[in-house]
Amino acid sequence: MTAPVGPPATVPALPTVLHRAVRYELHRLRALKSTWIVLGVLLAASLLNGALLLLELPTAEGGIRLPLDTTTLADWLQHNPTAQQVPLSALLLVFVFGTGPVSSELRFHTARTSWLTLGSRTVAYAAKLIVGAASVLAAACTGLLLQAATGWATLTIADAPQPDWGAAVPAVLRYLLIMACWPVLAAGVAALLGSRVAAALALTVWPLLGERIAGFLLGRVPGLDGVGEWLPFTAARAALHVPGDETDPFVRALIGSSLAPATGLAVFLLWTAAAATAGWLRYTRRAAP
């Protein structure tokens, strides 16, 4: 006799599996102390920046305070990416929300469980990108609103002139989009390198120093002069900057690119997509630890 055959097992639909994967990633983030520590530091930095906005105001003869110009206001709202080469908020958030989800499961040998549970490495990877981007975007929006509200209140209490807040909106929107891209790019780098330490070093040293050296070396090669302007974080600085009527040569040197903001944003988006795709290829073909 043949054993009775039951109904075929049903495979959960892709949206259901992705929803489960996203819920798992959110639960994992909420359970980490580092998540709340980083968010607390970001909110504290936003409050401090808002309270110190008064010190950013230029003064005329007689100590009369003048309103901030749009370029300085945008840079202040973006956590000073020009002077620091990257927004401080990005460095605070990316290592928890970007490199952590991929590298942690490889380090602690939980990747196999995730892959078997979900039945798809692509879904597991996509969930990490979605949660990372959404979490960083939410945190950046919260910090931005808190910083702007505190700065507005500080200027009001000090009876100082308010800047043209609306003029900085396009730069702020570019900032938020770039912030959402940071964890996606970081996840791709972490998947490629397979190490959180290596990924953290790469995402710290490369934007601050590596691109400068790479741009200089590329500029020495005939026919490649100017290629350094199209490197990812150099392009991101160009996207975040609001050009004035006369851009300070020193500021332009800090930015490292003459690309228009829209062009810089497009270049950074392409680099992010390339890193995420390369990370996906490595992640889906990696041997289970």
Side-chain angles (χ1 to χ4, degrees):
M1 293 179 64
T2 59
V5 178
T10 59
V11 179
L14 178 59
T16 301
V17 177
L18 182 59
H19 177 68
R20 291 175 181 172
V22 167
R23 288 185 59 186
Y24 165 75
E25 292 296 333
L26 286 172
H27 177 74
R28 185 191 63 80
L29 279 177
R30 286 196 297 264
L32 293 174
K33 291 182 179 179
S34 56
T35 300
W36 303 106
I37 293 173
V38 165
L39 289 177
V41 171
L42 174 64
L43 296 182
S46 299
L47 282 171
L48 180 62
N49 283 345
L52 295 178
L53 177 58
L54 200 62
L55 302 179
E56 299 279 347
L57 299 184
T59 56
E61 292 183 9
I64 300 174
R65 295 190 180 102
L66 301 176
L68 282 179
D69 60 87
T70 304
T71 300
T72 306
L73 175 64
D75 196 65
W76 174 79
L77 287 169
Q78 298 163 356
H79 290 267
N80 305 109
T82 301
Q84 298 169 169
Q85 299 296 279
V86 291
L88 175 63
S89 50
L91 291 180
L92 285 173
L93 296 172
V94 72
F95 302 120
V96 173
F97 297 100
T99 62
V102 172
S103 56
S104 295
E105 70 173 13
L106 296 175
R107 176 186 176 188
F108 295 108
H109 308 297
T110 59
R112 185 191 297 270
T113 302
S114 299
W115 298 339
L116 291 176
T117 301
L118 297 175
S120 171
R121 298 188 183 192
T122 297
V123 170
Y125 185 74
K128 295 177 190 338
L129 299 189
I130 291 170
V131 172
S135 300
V136 168
L137 182 60
C141 285
T142 303
L144 183 65
L145 291 174
L146 186 62
Q147 179 174 327
T150 308
W152 178 87
T154 300
L155 296 181
T156 300
I157 293 171
D159 196 24
Q162 296 284 348
D164 185 359
W165 297 96
V169 169
V172 165
L173 292 178
R174 293 194 300 270
Y175 161 75
L176 292 176
L177 186 54
I178 286 175
M179 286 297 294
C181 287
W182 261 85
V184 176
L185 188 149
V189 172
L192 286 171
L193 299 180
S195 166
R196 188 171 191 174
V197 174
L201 286 174
L203 291 170
T204 302
V205 176
W206 178 258
L208 299 180
L209 184 61
E211 280 195 353
R212 297 286 182 181
I213 297 175
F216 173 77
L217 294 177
L218 288 172
R220 308 283 290 183
V221 179
L224 295 182
D225 185 32
V227 173
E229 296 189 1
W230 299 81
L231 294 175
F233 297 103
T234 304
R237 288 193 296 273
L240 294 173
H241 182 64
V242 178
D245 294 332
E246 294 181 2
T247 302
D248 188 335
F250 178 70
V251 173
R252 179 57 65 186
L254 285 176
I255 297 170
S257 175
S258 60
L259 298 178
T263 305
L265 177 61
V267 170
F268 187 72
L269 291 175
L270 289 174
W271 276 106
T272 299
T277 302
W280 168 72
L281 292 173
R282 181 70 179 96
Y283 184 84
T284 54
R285 288 162 174 76
R286 181 182 294 274

